[in-house]
Amino acid sequence: MAGRFITLEGGEGAGKTTQCELLAEALTSCHVPVQRTREPGGAPGAELLRGLLLGSDIDWAPRAETLLHFAARAEHIAKTIRPALESGIWVVCDRFFDSTMAYQGYGQGADRQFIRELSRLLGIAPELTLVLDVPEDIGARRMRQRGGDADRYERLDAAFHARVRSGYREIAAGEPERCVLIDASADVETVHAAILEAVETRL
Ligand code: Z5A
């Protein structure tokens, strides 16, 4: 495809949203056409599913929750990601299939082989994944400082967030050709510089 597909991943408060915005601005200033998007969401139907996943108090069965994330992702790919890439636009996406592996697989104990197989069946994968790594206590403190209501996942306990973080570290270590682990405990500008270096080196 003509565009390049970059994803940002990490636990709560890692700074993905902040860094997606800065990366998109940096690409735009180099005259690279870019579409910023996010998961769950990024297309009208996927945003509806986001409401169910984040806003409801339903205690989903792990497989059902996994499939809802993949349903949202399939819609997002069909309506937003693939059309952008096919027309030469770079896609910078806040979370993608590694989030399902980290949160549902490592965090909630859903079947990881099932998630791997669903990821493969999507038929599309990021060329570069920046995994923003931050200790859970720093991430939680940033979220408290930001304020607002906690979603279903943010309300889960510290042990859950520790499993998510170690899951992300395992994913990054297992796929070094696609993933770059970034120390996200540094200040915003330092993290942005590390991301730009990874993008320049890898793409
Ligand atoms: N989820 C899932 O379970 N399975 C899936 O397949 C997918 C998602 C796709 C989506 O929530 C939730 O869905 C997510 C996982 C689950 N839940 N959790 N936890 P979301 O999209 O609403 O939220 P998020 O992705 O977790 O992002 P976030 O929690 O809002 O944080 P962030 O994007 O990583 O950080 P931020 O908004 O850029 O920054 C947070 C605050 O920290 C803010 O005040 C910043 O100004 C500050 N900040 C950012 N960077 C820094 C640095 N470097 N230093 C100091 N302060 C900073």
Side-chain angles (χ1 to χ4, degrees), residues 9-20 38-41 50 53-54 65-66 69-70 73 94-104 108 132 138-139 141-143 145-147 151-155 160-161 168 184-189 191:
E9 293 280 358
E12 61 160 1
K16 298 170 304 299
T17 309
T18 306
Q19 296 299 334
C20 278
R38 68 165 184 186
E39 291 205 346
R50 178 186 175 93
L53 283 158
L54 268 60
E65 187 159 343
T66 296
H69 277 292
F70 273 94
R73 187 159 298 131
D94 189 340
R95 299 191 178 282
F96 195 63
F97 57 31
D98 296 309
S99 284
T100 316
M101 184 57 92
Y103 281 77
Q104 280 63 57
Q108 296 179 311
L132 305 194
I138 297 182
R141 193 171 63 232
R142 287 181 187 168
M143 297 310 283
Q145 282 166 355
R146 190 178 73 178
D151 67 40
R152 256 184 75 231
Y153 297 103
E154 286 161 4
R155 287 197 293 271
F160 170 81
H161 290 287
Y168 271 126
S185 58
D187 61 83
V188 170
E189 280 312 314
V191 177

Side-chain angles (χ1 to χ4, degrees), residues 26-92:
L27 290 170
T28 303
S29 72
C30 297
H31 309 289
V32 173
V34 57
Q35 161 108 47
R36 233 185 90 197
T37 186
R38 68 165 184 186
E39 291 205 346
E47 291 288 336
L48 271 181
L49 290 170
R50 178 186 175 93
L52 289 179
L53 283 158
L54 268 60
S56 72
D57 275 328
I58 292 171
D59 183 19
W60 301 102
R63 193 163 272 225
E65 187 159 343
T66 296
L67 287 167
L68 280 172
H69 277 292
F70 273 94
R73 187 159 298 131
E75 183 71 2
H76 185 204
I77 291 169
K79 303 287 170 60
T80 305
I81 297 176
R82 201 179 278 284
L85 293 174
E86 282 174 354
S87 61
I89 296 169
W90 290 37
V91 172
V92 172

